[in-house]
C-alpha cells in the first residue's frame, strides 16, 4: 500500500564514494538533512525520529556541509531542533551554536500537516508537536539486538 516515487536530488554532492559508479548513495548526514528538508517525502516525522534513534554517530562537519547546500534558515531550525532531541548522537554544543546562528527569529512550523496540539519551542522559534511517537532505541523492532 506504499507508493515509492523518484525525487530528483537537489545536489549530487556528498555521495558515498564506495557506490558512486553503480548507485548514487548519499552519506548518512546528507540523507538526514534531505529527509528533514522534505519530511513529507521521508515518511513522516515519526519515521525520522525512529531512524535517528538507531544511529550512533554523525559527522558534524558533513551535517554543516549538507545544510550549506540548501542554505535555508528554516532547515537550520528544523535540523537543530530535531538533532537536539537525540543526545545519543553526541553532537557538540558548538555544532548547535553554529546552526543556531543561521536561524531567523520568526516562528515557523516544524511540520505543516499537523496544526493541532503544538507548542512553540522558543530556542529554535519552531512550532512543534506536543508528542512525537519516537521509537524507543532499547526496543527490538528489527530483531537485531
Amino acid at each position: 500500500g506504499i507508493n515509492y516515487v523518484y525525487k530528483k536530488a537537489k545536489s549530487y554532492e556528498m555521495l558515498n564514494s564506495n557506490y558512486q559508479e553503480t548507485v548514487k548513495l548519499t552519506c548518512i548526514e546528507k540523507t538526514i538533512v534531505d529527509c528533514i528538508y522534505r519530511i513529507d517525502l521521508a515518511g513522516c516525522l515519526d519515521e525520522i525520529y525512529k531512524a535517528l534513534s538507531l544511529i550512533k554517530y554523525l559527522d558534524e562537519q558533513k551535517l554543516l556541509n549538507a545544510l550549506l547546500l540548501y542554505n535555508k534558515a528554516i532547515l537550520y531550525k528544523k535540523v537543530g531542533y530535531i538533532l537536539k532531541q537525540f543526545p545519543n548522537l553526541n553532537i557538540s554544543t558548538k555544532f548547535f551554536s553554529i546552526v543556531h546562528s543561521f536561524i531567523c527569529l520568526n516562528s515557523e512550523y516544524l511540520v505543516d500537516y499537523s496544526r493541532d496540539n503544538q507548542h512553540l519551542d522558543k530556542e529554535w522559534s519552531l512550532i512543534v508537536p506536543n508528542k512525537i511517537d519516537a521509537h524507543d532505541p532499547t526496543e527490538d523492532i528489527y530483531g537485531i539486538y
Side-chain angles (χ1 to χ4, degrees), residues 57-140:
Y57 170 78
L58 292 174
D59 183 310
E60 294 176 12
Q61 189 58 54
K62 286 182 181 180
L63 284 168
L64 291 171
N65 291 345
L67 282 165
L68 284 170
L69 291 173
Y70 287 101
N71 201 26
K72 294 184 179 277
I74 182 63
L75 186 57
Y76 284 97
K77 285 183 185 191
K78 289 180 178 186
V79 168
Y81 172 80
I82 290 172
L83 294 183
K84 201 150 193 187
Q85 309 303 308
F86 293 89
N88 59 298
L89 297 174
N90 295 311
I91 296 176
S92 71
T93 55
K94 180 180 178 184
F95 172 84
F96 290 113
S97 294
I98 293 169
V99 169
H100 203 274
S101 71
F102 284 92
I103 71 171
C104 56
L105 296 178
N106 59 319
S107 298
E108 300 175 87
Y109 285 89
L110 176 62
V111 291
D112 291 330
Y113 53 81
S114 175
R115 303 268 174 157
D116 296 330
N117 299 316
Q118 298 196 47
H119 69 277
L120 174 65
D121 181 278
K122 292 179 183 176
E123 178 183 5
W124 296 99
S125 296
L126 273 177
I127 301 167
V128 299
N130 290 336
K131 181 179 184 287
I132 299 170
D133 294 326
H135 169 67
D136 178 354
T138 62
E139 180 185 332
D140 181 9

Side-chain angles (χ1 to χ4, degrees), residues 30-71:
K30 182 168 186 307
T31 301
I32 288 169
V33 171
D34 290 343
C35 288
I36 294 172
Y37 179 66
R38 289 297 308 264
I39 293 172
D40 59 319
L41 298 178
C44 64
L45 190 57
D46 296 345
E47 290 296 321
I48 292 171
Y49 271 58
K50 288 175 188 176
L52 286 171
S53 71
L54 298 171
I55 296 171
K56 304 290 185 228
Y57 170 78
L58 292 174
D59 183 310
E60 294 176 12
Q61 189 58 54
K62 286 182 181 180
L63 284 168
L64 291 171
N65 291 345
L67 282 165
L68 284 170
L69 291 173
Y70 287 101
N71 201 26

Side-chain angles (χ1 to χ4, degrees), residues 18-36:
N18 295 333
Y19 300 99
Q20 280 185 15
E21 293 180 23
T22 56
V23 177
K24 289 184 174 24
L25 179 69
T26 58
C27 64
I28 189 74
E29 292 82 3
K30 182 168 186 307
T31 301
I32 288 169
V33 171
D34 290 343
C35 288
I36 294 172

